[in-house]
Amino acid sequence: MNVTGLNSIEKRASLSLATVFGMRMIGLFMILPVFAIYGVGLEGYSPIWLGLAIGAYGFTQALLQIPMGILSDKFGRKPVIISGLIIFCLGSIIAAVADSVYMVVIGRAIQGMGAIASATLALAADLSREEQRPKVMATIGMFIGLSFAAAMVLGPLVAASYGLSGLFFLTAIFAFVGIFIVLFIVPNSINTAPKGDLVAAPKRVKQLIKDGNLFRLNLGVFILHLALTAMFVSLPIMLTKTGFAIGEHWRLYLPVLLISFALMVPFMIWAIKKQKEKLVFCGAIILLALSLLLLWLKHDSFYVIFTAVMLFFVAFNYLEATMPSTLSKIAPAGDKGSAMGVYSSSQFFGAFVGGLAGGAIQSAFGLASVFLFSALLILVWYVFALSMKEVKRSKSISFSVNFNDEQHAKLLADKLADMAGIVESTIVYSESVAYLKIDEKQIDMDKLRALLAN
């Protein structure tokens, strides 16, 4: 078996699951750049209902993210993913045929009920070897980033030609294609990755919420997605007021996102190479706040809006790309799935609150006030981020272990604690698995494997 690269099953799994994930995210995000304009024609339209329509999916996603992962453990990954895509398709169709903003909100909430993220990531883990799993996850992460960029371009183009209904029907088609891919292209899993790696354990969630560093990260992703969603309650309207037709908005979003990705990568490389992750992390938060303050102060100039939005996405893309990696480093060994479940729920709940708060603030104080509100919240996040501890360099891995008995498991735990290069270890006797955090510069992998094999 090839241990230096992905084998054929891993390649097929990563590309097919990334495609399913990406198409679903495109469907969720396409509404962002257009609904503030096209939703005006719907019965019951108001800024508050506009915000609810944009962010409603986040509420149901936040509620169901962890339960859907647990259900995938009980009933299988593929049945849960397919069920989620069917629910997502149903919500899309309801939104497509809606003639009132209330029905769009219901449709968006139902879309969010198809919360397949944890089940999809768990299936990707089941279909990949431990040493190749980071590459598979990175492929899925890359497609998520690309899906946002694609949605920002497709949304204005599709809505200009076919209206909101066409946009939601396209989303439903994406869901059908996703079901086909899961049924006929995604490999069937034989192995099951260790549960602690990907799927949340309800009994651990409450304890992880109290963890100081994890709390700061969860607060951060909550505010980050709150700011993103709130931005799109006002930004499309501001752009049209500068004389930029809605059907042309993609001409702003495409170069902005391309430039922001290009600018973000050197900062990421420098931060890792120089071990300045916290410095750049805090700098990105400040850049977010400054870009939003610029939109608040000078929102009547297209060129200022372009510059501010570009700066926003330089910071946003950096934070969105690096925060999950930071989470995996600070989550206790064996609890990455639970930590990621809390993190994802915080992210989606932030999107819901952002839509609701953005609509309410716009209604009470005007378009520009949304940006000031978001900037102030981001500055609160900055204060919390300053007290985050530096993250030790480590890699999370897990091994299946054949324990002779519980005493053997305790003896192994003691030996691992004394071994050079082991940052943290958790032995779960009932699951026959060892969860480890290792320092790759110090660890002797041959010695580790020999110890775990005895």
Side-chain angles (χ1 to χ4, degrees):
M1 183 178 285
N2 178 16
V3 296
T4 60
L6 300 178
N7 60 34
S8 58
I9 290 177
E10 288 164 340
K11 288 177 182 176
R12 186 152 59 99
S14 61
L15 290 174
S16 57
L17 288 172
T19 301
V20 172
F21 214 127
M23 288 196 303
R24 177 176 167 276
M25 297 308 288
I26 289 174
L28 285 173
F29 287 143
M30 277 196 298
I31 188 178
L32 288 181
V34 300
F35 194 76
I37 305 297
Y38 287 93
V40 174
L42 293 170
E43 178 189 343
Y45 175 89
S46 71
I48 293 177
W49 282 100
L50 153 68
L52 274 173
I54 290 175
Y57 80 94
F59 181 72
T60 46
Q61 283 266 17
L63 288 180
L64 297 175
Q65 196 66 242
I66 292 175
M68 289 287 273
I70 296 169
L71 287 174
S72 77
D73 259 352
K74 186 173 183 179
F75 298 107
R77 314 297 192 206
K78 279 194 173 184
V80 169
I81 294 171
I82 291 169
S83 299
L85 288 170
I86 291 171
I87 293 169
F88 181 76
C89 182
L90 176 62
S92 302
I93 293 172
I94 290 172
V97 300
D99 56 6
S100 72
V101 71
Y102 316 119
M103 288 304 297
V104 172
V105 170
I106 291 171
R108 289 282 284 175
I110 293 173
Q111 280 184 326
M113 291 172 67
I116 62 170
S118 54
T120 304
L121 293 174
L123 179 55
D126 293 345
L127 291 167
S128 56
R129 294 161 292 166
E130 173 67 46
E131 64 272 15
Q132 299 302 327
R133 199 166 292 152
K135 296 178 185 177
V136 174
M137 297 303 173
T139 301
I140 295 175
M142 180 182 69
F143 271 57
I144 293 172
L146 291 173
S147 70
F148 183 81
M152 293 298 100
V153 175
L154 278 175
L157 286 172
V158 174
S161 299
Y162 304 103
L164 281 178
S165 61
L167 188 149
F168 285 119
F169 276 126
L170 178 61
T171 300
I173 291 170
F174 282 164
F176 269 116
V177 173
I179 292 170
F180 176 86
I181 291 172
V182 173
L183 284 173
F184 300 108
I185 300 179
V186 175
N188 293 313
S189 66
I190 298 173
N191 301 316
T192 300
K195 293 180 181 180
D197 278 354
L198 269 302
V199 178
K203 61 184 179 181
R204 297 288 299 148
V205 167
K206 187 179 293 186
Q207 186 173 341
L208 290 172
I209 291 173
K210 298 177 182 178
D211 183 283
N213 266 359
L214 288 175
F215 170 79
R216 290 175 179 85
L217 213 54
N218 294 330
L219 174 69
V221 78
F222 170 84
I223 293 175
L224 182 65
H225 281 262
L226 183 156
L228 175 71
T229 310
M231 170 188 277
F232 283 99
V233 173
S234 293
L235 182 61
I237 301 172
M238 284 185 170
L239 283 171
T240 56
K241 286 186 174 182
T242 65
F244 205 48
I246 181 65
E248 301 296 311
H249 283 195
W250 68 272
R251 296 183 185 274
L252 166 75
Y253 297 125
L254 182 58
V256 156
L257 290 166
L258 291 176
I259 294 170
S260 65
F261 276 120
L263 292 176
M264 174 267 291
V265 172
F267 283 108
M268 186 181 295
I269 294 171
W270 183 84
I272 295 171
K273 188 175 180 180
K274 300 295 184 181
Q275 298 187 26
K276 299 289 186 181
E277 287 97 334
K278 182 178 176 180
L279 175 67
V280 179
F281 182 85
C282 291
I285 297 173
I286 287 295
L287 185 59
L288 274 180
L290 291 175
S291 66
L292 289 166
L293 288 172
L294 186 58
L295 284 169
W296 171 58
L297 290 168
K298 191 72 176 174
H299 51 267
D300 54 354
S301 167
F302 172 78
Y303 297 104
V304 172
I305 292 175
F306 182 95
T307 302
V309 173
M310 182 189 68
L311 293 175
F312 178 92
F313 279 109
V314 169
F316 178 88
N317 290 331
Y318 177 84
L319 293 164
E320 187 81 344
T322 57
M323 287 171 73
S325 173
T326 303
L327 178 85
S328 69
K329 292 173 185 174
I330 64 177
D335 279 332
K336 191 166 67 174
S338 298
M340 186 59 75
V342 177
Y343 176 87
S344 297
S345 295
S346 301
Q347 173 183 335
F348 288 119
F349 193 59
F352 167 70
V353 175
L356 182 60
I361 290 167
Q362 184 196 128
S363 180
F365 304 106
L367 288 171
S369 300
V370 174
F371 302 117
L372 177 60
F373 167 75
S374 298
L376 292 175
L377 276 181
I378 286 168
L379 290 174
V380 171
W381 175 20
Y382 175 74
V383 172
F384 277 91
L386 285 174
S387 58
M388 281 188 73
K389 297 176 182 177
E390 291 285 355
V391 180
K392 293 182 180 179
R393 289 183 172 273
S394 65
K395 177 182 178 182
S396 297
I397 56 176
S398 57
F399 291 92
S400 295
V401 183
N402 294 318
F403 297 115
N404 298 327
D405 50 37
E406 196 165 350
Q407 186 61 36
H408 177 212
K410 291 179 180 178
L411 180 63
L412 178 61
D414 292 337
K415 289 181 178 179
L416 286 171
D418 294 332
M419 186 174 182
I422 301 291
V423 177
E424 185 181 336
S425 64
T426 300
I427 303 297
V428 184
Y429 173 67
S430 61
E431 296 177 14
S432 300
V433 65
Y435 297 104
L436 308 175
K437 281 189 178 183
I438 62 171
D439 184 332
E440 291 183 282
K441 292 183 178 180
Q442 296 184 30
I443 195 73
D444 183 333
M445 289 302 294
D446 291 332
K447 183 179 178 181
L448 174 60
R449 288 191 177 95
L451 175 61
L452 294 171
N454 292 330

